[in-house]
């Protein structure tokens, strides 16, 4: 399965060898799509200097040697020595016929690698915020894509389930009672639960004289000590907190159609047992040293203001461990136990320094060999209309579930307007699919490290670069096939390309395999989103200009139906890799 550029490369290489001799057989022919032709070859420009020949003359010689019978309709030298090639319709049809016959629509399977992906990672007893939403959506799309390329993806949901706040959270749970409405908040509005505990703690801390605000702070501290010492009753209470939070996380995941399950949980607490040894090993190897009572790693190249070295603190002076300590454990585990070939951390851009320090420490310790590639897929901020980090909506603190409900409601208004003829329950399903799809697509259609403004009205629109615009293509093709009582999956016929819009659509369809591979290499789902958006545009132009069911000849009608069916397959697969559902109708 090859794209035209790939198929053409050896032909150009052998023409160069004929023109210049075998020494130049390996020369990079530099092919790229161009606005003047299907492809432009820039080899002559690069090679002319080397061989001391005017570029236009060299280009002409390469053209003479090119064997492009049946492949190109036109070959011409232009400008300072570009070679412009225009493929014949028959050749494009032939290439696309292979893609059409391929179950995977041109996506090649790669040699399987083990790839742990760290994404989502919300915190227990806290609301997921839009940043968590974005790592969840981007991480899930990367997991789906790498899996589709043939890799063994190991999802790692590094939830924040350990640390000092748990003393206060456990005591608050005991105070309100496990079956109380307040405890239920952990599932419905976790921040409210957290805040209530925090307020009680702060009030007790600030009370004068000491103790007049109750002993909540004292109890919370004692509880942390018990938790860390592994007291069974305390651990059972802690597990209840985590379990209630899991219900909350899973509700969000199922609403969003995220592939994470409880089996993928690998929270901070899972590393508790190894942290002491890990610190001891770093100390024994001379990588970590005690400074002001804390165990620190000082690395070259990490300095703060006035050139003062910035340490990675791995054990605080009170004996507690840090975020950096657990992350050292994550990289060690993923390399040694999960046998990672690459490790993805899909987390906020501001954590770049943290991750680099962790990886450099792990390299020094011999836990991260050079052939394992750690990658930080940096997640940028989501902004409100005021261009500040989105934290509230209509004055209230942001609740993710409420935000998703709002998206579905907006989508419902859209679909009520366009399809009043449909059943109420059918419209409800479509509204959910496009409302959720719209929110996810907003995260996926921009570079994952860029900032963007969260604007629900724009996201649910049926036009523009939106999720619903892409979903609409699928619904449209389904409706064409519904009219003739056939299934697009069963449609196969010889492809004939005569009209420019047919040809443009065919050329675009040839690129699917390459773009999916590119997402796997660059970890940038927005490339796939952009490809699908252009596919939707190419399909619309085709559909407006080339009658399908009313085509003049039967072969043309069958060919056009096959093009529609291939658009359907590529679009549903592409949407699935992004994590969007494809509605039956819209
Ligand atoms: N729980 C963290 C947060 O909410 C994210 C953890 C990301 N993963 C990691 N291995 N550090 O910011």
């Amino acid at each position: 399965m090859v794209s035209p550029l790939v198929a053409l490369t050896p032909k150009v290489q052998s023409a160069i060898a004929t023109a210049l001799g075998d020494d130049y057989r390996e020369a990079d022919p530099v092919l790229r799509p161009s606005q003047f032709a299907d492809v432009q070859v820039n080899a002559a420009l690069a090679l002319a200097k080397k061989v001391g020949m005017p570029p236009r003359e060299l280009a002409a010689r390469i053209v003479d040697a090119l064997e492009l019978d049946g492949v190109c309709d036109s070959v011409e030298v232009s400008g300072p020595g570009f070679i412009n090639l225009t493929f014949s319709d028959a050749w494009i049809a032939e290439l696309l016929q292979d893609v059409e016959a391929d179950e995977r629509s041109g996506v090649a399977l790669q040699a399987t690698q083990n790839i742990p992906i760290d994404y989502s990672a919300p915190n227990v007893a806290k609301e997921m915020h839009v940043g968590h939403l974005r790592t969840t959506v981007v991480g899930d799309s990367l997991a789906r894509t790498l899996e589709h390329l043939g890799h063994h993806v190991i999802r790692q949901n590094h939830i924040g389930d350990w640390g000092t706040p748990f003393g206060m959270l456990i005591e608050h749970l005991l105070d309100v009672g496990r079956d109380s409405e307040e405890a239920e908040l952990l599932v419905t509005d976790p921040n409210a639960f957290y805040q209530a505990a925090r307020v009680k703690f702060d009030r007790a801390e600030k009370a004068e004289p000491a103790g007049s605000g109750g002993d909540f702070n004292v109890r919370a501290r004692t509880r942390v000590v018990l938790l860390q010492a592994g007291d069974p009753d305390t651990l059972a209470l802690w597990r209840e907190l985590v379990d209630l939070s899991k219900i909350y996380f899973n509700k969000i995941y199922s609403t969003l159609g995220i592939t994470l399950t409880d089996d993928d949980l690998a929270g901070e607490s899972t590393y508790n047992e190894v942290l002491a040894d890990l610190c001891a090993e770093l100390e024994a190897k001379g990588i970590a040293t005690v400074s002001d009572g804390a165990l620190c790693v000082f690395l070259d190249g990490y300095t703060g203001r006035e050139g003062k070295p910035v340490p990675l603190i791995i054990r605080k002076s009170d004996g507690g461990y840090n975020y950096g300590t657990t992350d050292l454990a994550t990289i060690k585990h993923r390399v040694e136990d999960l046998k990672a070939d690459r490790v993805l951390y899909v987390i906020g851009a501001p954590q770049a320094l943290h991750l680099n320090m962790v990886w450099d420490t792990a390299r020094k310790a011999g836990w991260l060999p050079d052939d394992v590639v750690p990658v930080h897929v940096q997640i940028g901020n989501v902004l409100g209309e005021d261009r500040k980090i989105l934290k509230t909506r209509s004055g209230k603190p942001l609740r993710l579930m409420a935000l998703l409900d709002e998206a579905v409601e907006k989508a419902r208004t859209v679909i009520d307007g366009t399809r009043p003829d449909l059943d109420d329950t059918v419209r409800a399903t479509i509204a959910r699919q496009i409302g959720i799809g719209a929110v996810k697509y907003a995260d996926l259609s921009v570079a994952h490290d860029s900032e963007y403004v969260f604007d629900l009205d724009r996201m649910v629109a049926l036009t523009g670069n939106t999720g619903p615009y892409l979903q609409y293509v699928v619904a449209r093709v389904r409706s064409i096939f519904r009219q003739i009582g056939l299934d697009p999956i069963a449609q196969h016929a010889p492809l004939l390309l005569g009209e420019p819009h047919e040809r443009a659509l065919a050329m675009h369809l040839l690129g699917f395999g390459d773009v999916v591979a590119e997402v796997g290499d660059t970890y940038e789902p927005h490339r796939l989103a952009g490809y699908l958006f252009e596919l939707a545009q190419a399909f619309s132009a085709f559909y407006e200009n080339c009658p399908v069911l009313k085509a003049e000849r039967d072969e043309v009608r069958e060919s056009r139906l096959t093009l529609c069916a291939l658009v359907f397959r590529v679009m549903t697969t592409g949407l699935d890799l992004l994590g969007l559902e494809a509605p039956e109708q819209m």
Side-chain angles (χ1 to χ4, degrees):
M1 209 55 48
V2 286
S3 70
L5 293 198
V6 176
L8 208 61
T9 301
K11 292 183 192 291
V12 178
Q13 276 172 328
S14 81
I16 293 173
T18 312
L20 294 176
D22 250 355
D23 286 355
Y24 292 91
R25 187 169 286 280
E26 298 296 304
D28 180 1
V30 211
L31 307 183
R32 37 177 95 93
S34 134
Q35 64 189 117
F36 307 108
D38 289 326
V39 67
Q40 190 169 71
V41 183
N42 286 0
L45 290 173
L47 290 173
K49 246 206 188 128
K50 262 199 198 158
V51 297
M53 199 186 286
R56 276 191 74 99
E57 191 187 320
L58 177 52
R61 287 204 193 188
I62 296 175
V63 167
D64 281 342
L66 265 169
E67 285 182 26
L68 293 171
D69 280 355
V71 170
C72 288
D73 283 345
S74 124
V75 179
E76 55 192 29
V77 175
S78 86
F82 301 126
I83 304 167
N84 286 343
L85 306 178
T86 304
F87 303 132
S88 73
D89 293 350
W91 192 57
I92 298 196
E94 199 182 304
L95 290 177
L96 193 62
Q97 203 77 58
D98 286 347
V99 172
E100 202 282 319
D102 176 22
E103 277 186 336
R104 298 177 50 84
S105 309
V107 180
L109 277 171
Q110 303 183 342
T112 307
Q113 292 189 334
N114 290 331
I115 311 180
I117 309 186
D118 183 318
Y119 69 101
S120 194
N123 301 311
V124 165
K126 291 231 189 101
E127 180 75 32
M128 277 169 87
H129 53 67
V130 282
H132 287 124
L133 173 68
R134 200 165 173 189
T135 121
T136 305
V137 168
V138 171
D140 209 52
S141 172
L142 291 173
R144 289 163 181 262
T145 305
L146 288 162
E147 241 156 26
H148 189 64
L149 287 167
H151 297 292
H152 177 221
V153 169
I154 311 159
R155 293 165 174 77
Q156 297 280 286
N157 194 356
H158 190 73
I159 58 169
D161 60 356
W162 200 254
T164 40
F166 281 91
M168 143 192 126
L169 292 168
I170 290 174
E171 286 303 318
H172 184 56
L173 183 64
L174 282 173
D175 284 359
V176 298
R178 288 117 103 160
D179 299 319
S180 64
E181 255 169 56
E182 281 98 327
E184 183 65 21
L185 285 176
L186 283 163
V187 180
T188 54
D189 189 2
N191 267 5
F193 183 92
Y194 191 96
Q195 279 313 319
R198 176 97 273 164
V199 165
K200 256 158 67 178
F201 185 87
D202 289 346
R203 196 175 295 142
E205 284 285 271
K206 285 198 202 100
E208 289 290 349
S212 63
D215 64 346
F216 187 77
N217 52 343
V218 180
R219 282 195 281 138
R221 288 211 172 84
T222 313
R223 194 54 84 174
V224 175
V225 175
L226 284 169
L227 182 65
Q228 277 160 354
D231 168 60
D233 290 342
T234 303
L235 278 179
L237 287 161
W238 166 77
R239 199 151 292 130
E240 276 181 48
L241 276 172
V242 176
D243 284 344
L244 287 166
S245 284
K246 279 203 269 190
I247 300 177
Y248 165 72
F249 301 152
N250 286 335
K251 238 175 44 181
I252 300 267
Y253 295 154
S254 70
T255 305
L256 281 171
I258 295 299
T259 58
L260 286 166
T261 70
D262 283 356
D263 292 341
D264 307 314
L265 288 171
E268 294 178 8
S269 69
T270 42
Y271 301 99
N272 283 349
E273 304 298 312
V274 302
L275 301 181
D277 282 354
L278 185 149
C279 288
E281 188 178 332
L282 289 176
E283 209 175 351
K285 285 181 170 161
I287 296 168
T289 44
V290 178
S291 164
D292 288 333
L295 188 60
C296 302
V297 179
F298 290 96
L299 297 156
D300 292 341
Y302 295 95
T303 45
R305 253 178 258 141
E306 292 155 22
K308 266 183 73 176
V310 178
L312 180 70
I313 301 175
I314 58 174
R315 196 179 60 221
K316 294 180 281 190
S317 51
D318 67 5
Y321 301 108
N322 272 345
Y323 188 53
T325 329
T326 38
D327 261 332
L328 279 167
T330 63
I331 192 74
K332 199 167 184 288
H333 169 63
R334 291 165 193 178
V335 172
E336 289 174 8
D337 307 323
L338 303 181
K339 310 267 181 272
D341 295 295
R342 311 181 229 173
V343 189
L344 270 50
Y345 289 78
V346 187
I347 62 186
Q351 297 197 34
L353 177 71
H354 159 81
L355 279 182
N356 281 313
M357 292 184 89
V358 165
W359 296 340
D360 278 350
T361 304
R363 280 192 192 98
K364 259 182 127 170
W367 301 332
L368 177 56
D370 288 342
D371 59 350
V372 179
V373 191
V375 184
H376 181 190
V377 179
Q378 302 200 359
I379 296 298
N381 290 324
V382 182
L383 308 177
E385 265 135 56
D386 55 1
R387 297 204 63 88
K388 295 206 184 94
I389 292 181
L390 184 64
K391 282 203 172 115
T392 59
R393 259 184 98 67
S394 38
K396 291 197 215 107
L398 189 92
R399 284 184 46 220
L400 199 51
M401 206 43 116
L403 191 79
L404 298 178
D405 288 344
E406 196 183 329
V408 174
E409 262 164 49
K410 283 211 192 274
R412 177 72 201 233
T413 316
V414 171
I415 206 75
D416 284 350
T418 54
R419 294 303 302 269
D421 56 311
L422 293 176
D423 237 40
D424 198 64
T425 48
V426 175
R427 270 181 285 147
T429 304
I430 301 173
R432 183 187 57 74
Q433 291 173 315
I434 68 178
I436 298 299
V439 170
K440 294 177 85 173
Y441 190 78
D443 275 338
L444 294 163
S445 55
V446 293
H448 56 68
D449 56 353
S450 67
E451 297 186 326
Y452 76 90
V453 173
F454 193 92
D455 175 356
L456 273 181
D457 289 312
R458 182 188 61 78
M459 294 174 186
V460 300
L462 296 179
T463 52
N465 189 3
T466 68
Y469 177 64
L470 304 193
Q471 290 169 317
Y472 185 51
V473 169
V474 174
R476 240 165 133 181
V477 177
R478 278 202 169 116
S479 111
I480 299 170
F481 279 86
R482 205 176 292 125
Q483 286 173 52
I484 49 175
L486 292 177
D487 180 353
I489 292 301
Q491 172 67 31
H492 304 283
L495 295 165
L496 309 167
L497 305 175
E499 299 295 321
H501 291 289
E502 277 174 328
R503 188 182 190 280
L505 178 60
M507 282 288 283
H508 200 69
L509 283 166
L510 286 174
F512 184 55
D514 285 348
V515 81
V516 175
E518 232 174 82
V519 174
D521 290 341
T522 60
Y523 317 112
E524 293 178 336
H526 78 269
R527 291 173 185 250
L528 175 59
Y531 169 87
L532 295 176
F533 176 54
E534 284 168 17
L535 177 63
Q537 289 177 314
F539 173 73
S540 292
F542 156 80
Y543 196 61
E544 271 160 36
N545 292 285
C546 307
V548 177
L549 297 179
K550 295 209 172 83
E552 275 168 23
R553 288 186 298 135
D554 273 359
E555 308 92 84
V556 174
R557 177 186 134 116
E558 284 303 308
S559 163
R560 287 184 183 166
L561 275 171
T562 307
L563 273 178
C564 291
L566 190 53
V567 167
F568 172 85
R569 272 163 52 190
V570 166
M571 191 58 94
T572 26
T573 308
L575 287 175
D576 185 56
L577 296 181
L578 293 178
L580 269 69
E581 287 181 42
E584 282 294 323
Q585 43 188 342
M586 266 172 83

